[in-house]
Amino acid sequence: MDLTAIVLIVCFFTLLFINVPISLCIALSTLAALLMHIDFTPATTTIAQQMAGGIDSFALLAIPFFILSGLIMGQGGIAKRLIECAMAMIGFLPGGLALVNVMSCMLFGAISGSAVAATSAIGSFMVPEMKKHGYSASFAAAVTASAATTGMLIPPSNILIIYAIASGGVSIAALFIAGYLPGILVGLALMIVCAIYSIRNNYPVTARLPFKIVLEKILAALPSLLLIFIVIGGIIGGVFTATEAGAIAVIYALVLSVFIYREINIAEMPAILLKACETTAIVMLIIAASSGMSWLLSYTHIPQLVSEFFLTLSENPLLILLLINLILILVGAFIDMTPAVLIFTPIFLPVAEQLGMSPIQFGIMIVLNLSIGLVSPPVGSVLFVSCAVAKTSLHKIIKPMLPLYAVMFLVLMLVTYVPAISETLPRLFGLIE
């Protein structure tokens, strides 16, 4: 292995082990590796230039907009109406509350684009409700955490925007549309596990609501769901870009939450804006640091070396793709999603393309793969948020998570080996040939 790569890996994981923030881990390890080639002053200047250049992108402007719209939705009564809609539609089925939890997370994730926001907004209501009806706290937390990850695939998704930039310009619209089927497949797989688990544990079933009430709940949630069609329809139709769609999402969420639902007062907006700024600053710092590391990898030709290594391991593309997935699952357990996408896309995308995989399919594969990392110890941020919401401990949540991990991995394999799952919808809408 190249000495630069050894220094990079050793420094990164040493800093990570001693609990240094992830952005500093990336930046400092990149600087240490670059010092193997040039002196300190030009090295620091180069890293600073690459970090600044990494966030100098119009497409990245969509991220603060979607972060802000997600925060507004989380406090604006939208989550509550989505839950009531899902409850009315499927709450009477076996394991009804667990199914409602999954469906609500999918709908909220599709609107907010944030797994953490979905876990907090949906979990704060659904977890106590599930516990009140006899579900264990650990199972409720496991369902919430795993279902919240569907928002990474179902658009609008910040991580798909980041992948589009890391991959060198893959169409954001195509990625957004490509995420629908895999995201829905994950949700349906989780629902099946929830139903079986609930039947085996004799969890209660709620009564079916009259059709009139069901219709009322659906109509109440309709303005919230309309945002999905406005944002995605506008992007696909070429009416506006992803960045402009983010701005429209903010305006729509603000009007809905302040003037229609009246769940947010104007006096609360400064605190929401401050939280959005804090979150955006963290994300942008990670993107900047990861851009510097990606440049170093390219400068030292590490992606080409990795590509040659994988292609010499085996002539079987199925085996190589499985190995890439296993490596990414391991990476996702230790590294947050954003830096993982920025760092490993330039490394593994060339390998995948040589094996005949399109950038669209690989993008959905890597995002789904790293979504599993969001609910995997020791770093899984969504897992810890869910534990906090459910007031349970990490070791208790692992057992009910195991079957959920299994079906998420099964869908990952389908996405990896069946291109049509990712490519049918973008091709249908004329976004790819």
Side-chain angles (χ1 to χ4, degrees):
M1 184 183 292
D2 184 79
L3 183 59
T4 304
I6 294 173
V7 172
L8 186 69
I9 293 169
V10 170
C11 288
F12 177 79
F13 282 102
T14 300
L15 293 169
L16 195 66
F17 181 74
I18 61 177
N19 209 27
V20 174
I22 185 69
S23 55
L24 291 179
C25 290
I26 297 168
L28 292 175
S29 57
T30 302
L31 177 61
L34 188 58
L35 289 174
M36 304 296 297
H37 299 271
I38 57 179
D39 293 333
F40 181 79
T41 300
T44 54
T45 303
T46 301
I47 295 297
Q49 289 174 339
Q50 295 303 321
M51 289 177 68
I55 56 175
D56 183 16
S57 170
F58 179 75
L60 286 178
L61 282 174
I63 293 176
F65 285 128
F66 282 125
I67 288 172
L68 178 56
S69 66
L71 289 172
I72 294 171
M73 293 169 199
Q75 294 183 223
I78 292 175
K80 180 177 70 176
R81 286 163 177 81
L82 293 176
I83 290 170
E84 290 175 350
C85 175
M87 186 81 75
M89 292 173 64
I90 61 174
F92 62 91
L93 296 173
L97 287 178
L99 303 185
V100 168
N101 196 337
V102 175
M103 185 173 179
S104 300
C105 284
M106 290 174 67
L107 292 173
F108 190 82
I111 294 173
S112 69
S114 170
V116 173
T119 304
S120 179
I122 302 299
S124 60
F125 181 88
M126 285 305 306
V127 170
E129 192 71 14
M130 290 177 70
K131 288 164 70 175
K132 186 170 70 177
H133 285 78
Y135 291 80
S136 67
S138 58
F139 177 65
V143 171
T144 304
S146 54
T149 62
T150 58
M152 299 293 95
L153 291 167
I154 302 175
S157 168
N158 289 337
I159 198 65
L160 288 177
I161 296 172
I162 291 170
Y163 169 78
I165 294 168
S167 62
V170 174
S171 166
I172 294 175
L175 284 168
F176 275 9
I177 294 301
Y180 272 112
L181 282 182
I184 292 171
L185 277 177
V186 173
L188 291 175
L190 295 175
M191 285 183 173
I192 292 171
V193 172
C194 288
I196 294 172
Y197 193 93
S198 299
I199 292 171
R200 290 182 62 182
N201 288 275
N202 295 315
Y203 288 140
V205 178
T206 57
R208 185 194 293 263
L209 296 174
F211 177 75
K212 182 181 178 181
I213 296 178
V214 173
L215 188 60
E216 287 175 358
K217 298 298 183 184
I218 293 174
L219 290 175
L222 198 57
S224 303
L225 296 172
L226 188 60
L227 179 61
I228 301 173
F229 297 98
I230 293 173
V231 171
I232 304 304
I235 293 174
I236 295 173
V239 179
F240 40 72
T241 65
T243 301
E244 292 163 345
I248 290 169
V250 171
I251 296 170
Y252 187 86
L254 193 60
V255 171
L256 201 61
S257 301
V258 176
F259 300 106
I260 297 178
Y261 292 158
R262 298 184 179 181
E263 299 274 354
I264 293 180
N265 297 320
I266 295 297
E268 297 176 273
M269 284 307 300
I272 294 174
L273 289 169
L274 181 60
K275 179 63 177 175
C277 290
E278 291 174 356
T279 306
T280 300
I282 293 169
V283 172
M284 289 301 177
L285 184 57
I286 292 173
I287 293 173
S290 300
S291 298
M293 181 178 282
S294 296
W295 172 83
L296 177 66
L297 295 174
S298 177
Y299 175 75
T300 54
H301 306 292
I302 290 176
Q304 291 87 338
L305 296 174
V306 172
S307 179
E308 292 173 5
F309 170 74
F310 273 97
L311 294 174
T312 56
L313 280 179
S314 172
E315 295 182 358
N316 188 343
L318 302 182
L319 184 61
I320 296 175
L321 289 174
L322 176 62
L323 183 59
I324 290 173
N325 270 307
L326 293 176
I327 292 172
L328 287 172
I329 286 176
L330 182 62
V331 165
F334 290 93
I335 304 176
D336 193 54
M337 200 172 196
T338 297
V341 167
L342 287 165
I343 293 167
F344 289 94
T345 294
I347 294 176
F348 289 132
L349 179 56
V351 181
E353 287 184 311
Q354 289 193 52
L355 297 175
M357 181 179 281
S358 72
I360 297 290
Q361 184 188 1
F362 179 78
I364 300 302
M365 183 194 87
I366 192 173
V367 169
L368 174 53
N369 188 306
L370 295 173
S371 294
I372 299 175
L374 291 176
V375 289
S376 300
V379 175
S381 56
V382 172
L383 196 65
F384 286 102
V385 171
S386 187
C387 285
V389 169
K391 295 181 175 60
T392 187
S393 57
L394 184 62
H395 74 275
K396 290 181 180 178
I397 199 177
I398 295 300
K399 184 177 179 181
M401 276 297 304
L402 293 177
L404 300 173
Y405 284 136
V407 294
M408 291 175 77
F409 184 78
L410 176 61
V411 175
L412 173 62
M413 291 296 98
L414 289 173
V415 168
T416 301
Y417 297 123
V418 184
I421 295 175
S422 304
E423 297 176 358
T424 297
L425 288 181
R427 189 168 283 113
L428 187 64
F429 284 95
L431 298 171
I432 58 174
E433 297 179 358

